[in-house]
């Protein structure tokens, strides 16, 4: 696994953990974060969200084979 | 004369069917544009795995439809109900069939024939280089305003309705997961969709119960969070997030419209309670008497016609079209579906709920639904129609009413998020095309300026400057900065529509050699729209602008004045280039 893919896998894993931590905490409290202060749970949720969005893009890299094949095959659907 | 819901449904569906088969397929698609199965599209010829990606037509329909159906097809018709139901319905149907669909389809196909460039750049081939750069600059400014407005609206929705925030937090990763299942596991579209829809329903239940709260200054925190999101979403490859997310959105949209049609059929005996006609000039824009003509395009945009659609069609959609034959369903069908959304999910429900005693008893309004602002007017109307329909099937009215009101709110939140990142991507394209002249003069500068991450960052930064700070426009009224310019947006958007339709009408006349009645099919609506929008903007400048707070009078008034001047320059270029040999 090259460095870019390893970084993507790491970001995805950390993102997932942060997101799950926030979601689990939210399920107990009926809220992720609070209106009074910007809490750790809410920050974890947002950072985890970004991690989950961007991590797999680095991890899996280029377009999937099925997408490339559509381009090579003339694309007619 | 009493009019019933079922009559409207039957007439509108019949008109749309005839429009699709005859006007769209036979005349535009087959006779004028002559779409070919064997023609290579930009998605195939210029495949880059990021923006140019050939896409299944159903997935692309989902993207196109979800992107053009921002808040516009909902808010505009809801506001226009002040005319009664008849005039808004007429404008939606005929504007849609004769202008909106033609505009969207031709913007898509002209872009496809010129390698996926925007309709602004297509104008160079028929109106010259000056026209192209003026048009691009104007569009970029409009898109920055769209970004600022939607970032602000989304932040307000998430602050005021934290369940919608939780849903968005879960929805995007689920869309990503669907993309992974669809493209990398070999599960296929059907199985991937089924799995994801089950997960989305679970996410909905979770979101209903758990609120995402971002502290005491949630509005400004959301502006920053959404800015980062928009940079990511607009820079990542389309197949990665945009396609699966919008495909998933299209199910929400279809469910949303489908429930409305079913609800309308179940309450088929329901008489439209709204008056067919109230006045030709009720007080609408800026609280001033607003004549139906020429002001209606400034009120109803997306449900009938909208310049933003030409940017989507010639921006993201044209770069993903796998075959020219798909353009009819995606470009023409997408716009018809949007008209159906306005008709069945907005005009019809509000007409039914107009002065419903049960809503008065529940305290939603005192006399008529017009007392509510446009967005709650839509929620209440939609909830009422479905609540009434399900109560006929034995379910409690209040339970169904509340559930469908929430569905309406979630659908609106999802459309807003889609428009936010699509507008960022489109602004990036406009920015990249605007600086293409640097490619030969300074390749290094060109690479930096058009780098997709850098360009998206610039767009979001400029949009955030308008969405983040707040300004005092009257002693009692503090608003986000973009609202200084926002009153001009409807005019700017429809001016874009008129210019895009003029450009494409010239394209079919000069390049496709459409003559006589075929040319008239596009040129007459284009000129009608141009005259209507030009007179509408002049009316706005004379009647509405003087009554705005001083800061908006200068900001929004300046933009409209600039639009009118630009409009005259472009029409002059249009006329002088009429006989120019196209490239």
């Amino acid at each position: 696994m090259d460095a870019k893919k390893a970084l993507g896998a790491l970001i995805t894993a950390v993102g997932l953990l942060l997101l799950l931590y926030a979601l689990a905490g939210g399920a107990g409290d009926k809220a992720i974060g609070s209106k009074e202060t910007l809490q750790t749970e809410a920050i974890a949720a947002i950072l985890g969200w970004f991690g989950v969005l961007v991590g797999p893009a680095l991890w899996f890299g280029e377009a999937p084979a099925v997408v490339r094949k559509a381009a090579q095959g003339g694309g007619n659907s | 004369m009493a009019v019933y819901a079922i009559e409207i449904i039957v007439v509108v569906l019949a008109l749309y069917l005839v429009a699709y088969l005859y006007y769209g397929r036979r005349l535009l698609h087959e006779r004028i544009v002559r779409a070919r199965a064997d023609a290579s599209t930009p998605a195939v010829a210029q495949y880059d795995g990021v923006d140019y990606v050939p896409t299944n037509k159903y997935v692309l329909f989902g993207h196109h439809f979800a992107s053009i159906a921002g808040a516009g097809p909902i808010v505009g018709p809801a506001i226009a109900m002040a005319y009664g139901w008849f005039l808004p319905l007429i404008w939606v149907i005929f504007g849609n069939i004769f202008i909106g669909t033609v505009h969207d389809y031709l913007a898509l196909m002209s872009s496809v024939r010129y390698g996926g460039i925007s309709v602004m750049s297509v104008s160079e081939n028929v109106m010259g280089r000056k026209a192209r750069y003026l048009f691009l600059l104007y569009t970029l400014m409009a898109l920055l305003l769209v970004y600022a407005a939607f970032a602000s609206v989304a932040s307000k929705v998430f602050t005021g309705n934290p369940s919608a925030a939780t849903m968005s937090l879960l929805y995007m990763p689920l869309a990503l997961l669907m993309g992974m299942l669809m493209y990398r596991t070999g599960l296929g579209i059907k199985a991937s969709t089924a799995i994801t829809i089950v997960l989305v329903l679970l996410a909905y239940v979770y979101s209903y119960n758990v609120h995402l709260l971002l502290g005491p200054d949630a509005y400004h925190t959301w502006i920053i969070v959404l800015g980062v999101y928009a940079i990511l979403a607009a820079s990542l490859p389309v197949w990665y997030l945009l396609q699966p997310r919008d495909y998933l959105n299209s199910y929400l949209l279809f469910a949303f419209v489908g429930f409305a049609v079913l609800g309308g059929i179940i309450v088929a005996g329901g008489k439209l309670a709204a008056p067919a006609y109230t006045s030709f000039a009720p007080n609408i824009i800026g609280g001033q008497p607003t004549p139906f003509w020429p002001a209606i395009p400034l009120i109803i945009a997306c449900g009938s016609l909208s310049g933003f659609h030409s940017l989507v069609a010639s921006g993201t959609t044209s770069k993903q079209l796998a075959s020219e034959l798909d353009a009819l369903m995606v470009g023409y069908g997408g716009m018809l579906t949007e008209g159906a959304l306005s008709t069945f999910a907005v005009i019809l429900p509000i007409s039914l709920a107009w002065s419903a005693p049960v809503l008065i008893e529940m305290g939603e309004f005192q006399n008529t639904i017009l007392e509510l602002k446009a967005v709650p007017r839509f929620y209440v109307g939609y909830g009422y129609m479905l609540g009434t329909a399900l109560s006929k099937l034995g379910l409690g009215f209040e339970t169904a009413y509340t559930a469908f009101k929430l569905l309406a709110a979630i659908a609106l939140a999802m459309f807003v998020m889609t428009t936010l990142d699509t507008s960022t991507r489109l602004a990036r394209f406009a920015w990249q095309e605007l600086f293409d002249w640097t490619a030969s003069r300074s390749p290094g500068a060109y690479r930096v300026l058009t780098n997709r991450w850098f360009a998206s960052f610039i767009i979001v930064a400029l949009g955030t400057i308008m969405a983040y700070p707040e300004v005092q426009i009257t002693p009692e009224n503090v608003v986000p900065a973009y609202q200084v310019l926002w009153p001009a947006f409807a005019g700017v958007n429809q001016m874009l529509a008129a210019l895009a339709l003029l450009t494409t009408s010239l394209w079919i006349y000069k390049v496709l050699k459409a003559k006589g009645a075929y040319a008239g099919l596009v040129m007459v609506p284009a000129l009608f729209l141009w005259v209507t929008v030009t007179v509408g903007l002049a009316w706005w400048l004379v009647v509405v602008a003087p009554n705005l707070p001083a800061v908006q009078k200068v900001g929004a008034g300046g933009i409209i004045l600039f639009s009118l001047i630009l409009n005259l320059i472009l029409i002059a270029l249009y006329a002088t280039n009429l006989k120019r040999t196209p490239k």
Side-chain angles (χ1 to χ4, degrees), chain B residues 335-357:
Chain B
M335 185 61 214
L336 279 185
T337 315
E338 191 163 6
L341 174 78
S342 288
T343 305
F344 301 131
V346 185
I347 295 177
L348 201 57
I350 293 176
S351 299
L352 288 164
W354 191 259
S355 54

Side-chain angles (χ1 to χ4, degrees), chain A residues 19 22-24 26-27 30-38 42-43 45-46 49-50 52-57 60-68 70-72 74-77, chain B residues 37 43-44 47 49 53-57 166 168-170 172-173 176 180 183-184 206 209-216 221-222 225 228-229 232 236 239-241 322-323 326 417:
Chain A
L19 196 56
L23 293 176
K30 296 272 178 196
I32 301 169
S34 85
K35 278 189 178 172
E36 286 72 36
T37 54
L38 184 57
I43 296 172
I46 297 299
W49 189 52
F50 289 148
V52 169
L53 289 184
V54 83
F60 293 103
E62 56 191 35
V66 65
V67 173
R68 290 198 306 272
Q72 285 154 5
N76 292 339
S77 56
Chain B
V44 176
Y47 170 79
V53 175
T55 304
N56 174 287
K57 67 180 174 186
T166 315
S168 288
L169 191 80
L170 295 170
M172 300 297 167
L176 245 177
M180 293 282 173
Y183 286 135
R184 295 194 186 270
Y206 180 89
N209 292 295
V210 180
H211 295 172
L212 176 58
L213 303 165
L214 296 190
T221 310
W222 271 117
V225 169
V228 177
Y229 161 76
L232 295 177
L236 289 166
W239 53 265
Y240 178 72
L241 175 65
S323 161
D326 298 347
M417 283 290 277

Side-chain angles (χ1 to χ4, degrees), chain B residues 3-13 254-272 340-341 343-353 381-393 404:
Chain B
V3 176
Y4 296 89
I6 191 71
E7 294 169 348
I8 300 282
I9 291 174
V10 170
V11 170
V12 172
L13 287 179
F254 279 126
F256 181 61
V257 178
F259 281 136
V261 173
L262 279 178
I265 290 171
I266 294 170
V267 294
K271 193 171 75 172
L272 300 195
L341 174 78
T343 305
F344 301 131
V346 185
I347 295 177
L348 201 57
I350 293 176
S351 299
L352 288 164
Y382 191 80
Y384 173 79
M385 187 168 87
L386 271 303
T388 308
L390 290 184
S391 67
K392 287 184 181 247
L393 301 177
F404 281 99

Side-chain angles (χ1 to χ4, degrees), chain B residues 172-252:
Chain B
M172 300 297 167
L174 288 178
L176 245 177
L177 176 71
M178 191 175 92
M180 293 282 173
L181 292 175
M182 211 158 67
Y183 286 135
R184 295 194 186 270
T185 64
L187 260 183
I189 289 186
K190 283 181 189 163
S192 308
T193 307
I195 292 170
T196 313
I197 285 178
V198 171
L199 291 173
V200 166
L201 290 174
L202 291 173
Y204 174 79
V205 174
Y206 180 89
S207 307
Y208 186 78
N209 292 295
V210 180
H211 295 172
L212 176 58
L213 303 165
L214 296 190
D217 191 13
Y219 172 79
H220 288 107
T221 310
W222 271 117
I223 290 281
I224 301 297
V225 169
L226 290 173
V228 177
Y229 161 76
I231 293 172
L232 295 177
S235 305
L236 289 166
V238 286
W239 53 265
Y240 178 72
L241 175 65
L242 179 140
Q243 285 180 356
R245 190 271 317 272
D246 290 350
Y247 177 65
L248 204 52
N249 270 348
S250 68
Y251 278 88
L252 182 66

Side-chain angles (χ1 to χ4, degrees), chain B residues 282-550:
Chain B
N283 293 348
I284 300 180
I285 300 179
Q288 303 300 312
T290 304
F292 181 76
W293 193 92
I296 190 66
L298 306 183
I299 301 168
I300 298 181
C302 299
S304 176
L305 62 110
S306 162
F308 183 70
H309 296 188
S310 65
L311 308 182
V312 176
S314 68
T316 48
T317 307
S318 65
K319 295 173 180 63
Q320 298 175 70
L321 196 77
S323 161
E324 283 195 354
L325 298 187
D326 298 347
L328 181 70
M329 188 184 106
V330 174
Y332 197 92
M335 185 61 214
L336 279 185
T337 315
E338 191 163 6
L341 174 78
S342 288
T343 305
F344 301 131
V346 185
I347 295 177
L348 201 57
I350 293 176
S351 299
L352 288 164
W354 191 259
S355 54
V358 66
L359 294 175
I360 294 172
E361 271 172 36
M362 288 167 72
E364 294 286 18
F365 49 78
Q366 288 184 325
N367 296 304
T368 73
I369 200 167
L370 281 189
E371 292 158 22
L372 303 175
K373 286 189 172 175
V375 171
R377 200 182 287 176
F378 151 67
Y379 294 161
V380 167
Y382 191 80
Y384 173 79
M385 187 168 87
L386 271 303
T388 308
L390 290 184
S391 67
K392 287 184 181 247
L393 301 177
L395 200 72
F397 172 81
E398 279 200 37
T399 310
Y401 172 70
T402 309
F404 281 99
K405 243 175 90 172
L406 185 63
L407 175 68
I410 285 178
L412 184 64
M414 291 307 155
F415 302 160
V416 168
M417 283 290 277
T418 307
T419 305
L420 181 73
D421 65 67
T422 301
S423 65
T424 311
R425 191 180 287 265
L426 295 171
R428 163 162 78 80
F429 292 157
W431 172 274
Q432 288 168 328
E433 288 180 18
L434 195 61
F435 286 101
D436 61 1
W437 57 273
T438 61
S440 55
R441 297 182 187 190
S442 173
Y446 173 74
R447 271 197 300 278
V448 173
L449 282 169
T450 58
N451 173 281
R452 66 183 204 266
W453 294 96
F454 177 77
S456 300
F457 170 77
I458 294 290
I459 300 305
V460 168
L462 292 173
T464 302
I465 288 170
M466 291 196 278
Y468 193 91
E470 292 176 316
V471 292
Q472 189 152 19
I473 57 168
T474 63
E476 314 79 39
N477 208 357
V478 176
V479 296
Y482 84 91
Q483 285 200 12
V484 171
L485 307 177
W486 188 246
F489 178 72
V492 169
N493 182 44
Q494 298 302 54
M495 182 58 77
L496 276 180
L499 295 176
L501 197 55
L502 280 175
T503 300
T504 52
S505 71
L506 206 50
W507 174 63
I508 66 127
Y509 180 72
K510 299 280 291 176
V511 180
L512 301 183
K513 309 289 181 201
K515 303 288 179 210
Y518 290 137
L521 271 178
V522 181
M523 285 195 155
V524 171
L527 290 171
F528 169 76
L529 182 64
W530 183 83
V531 170
T532 301
V533 173
T534 305
V535 177
L537 291 190
W539 168 82
W540 190 94
L541 214 50
V542 172
V543 177
V544 179
N547 297 295
L548 290 173

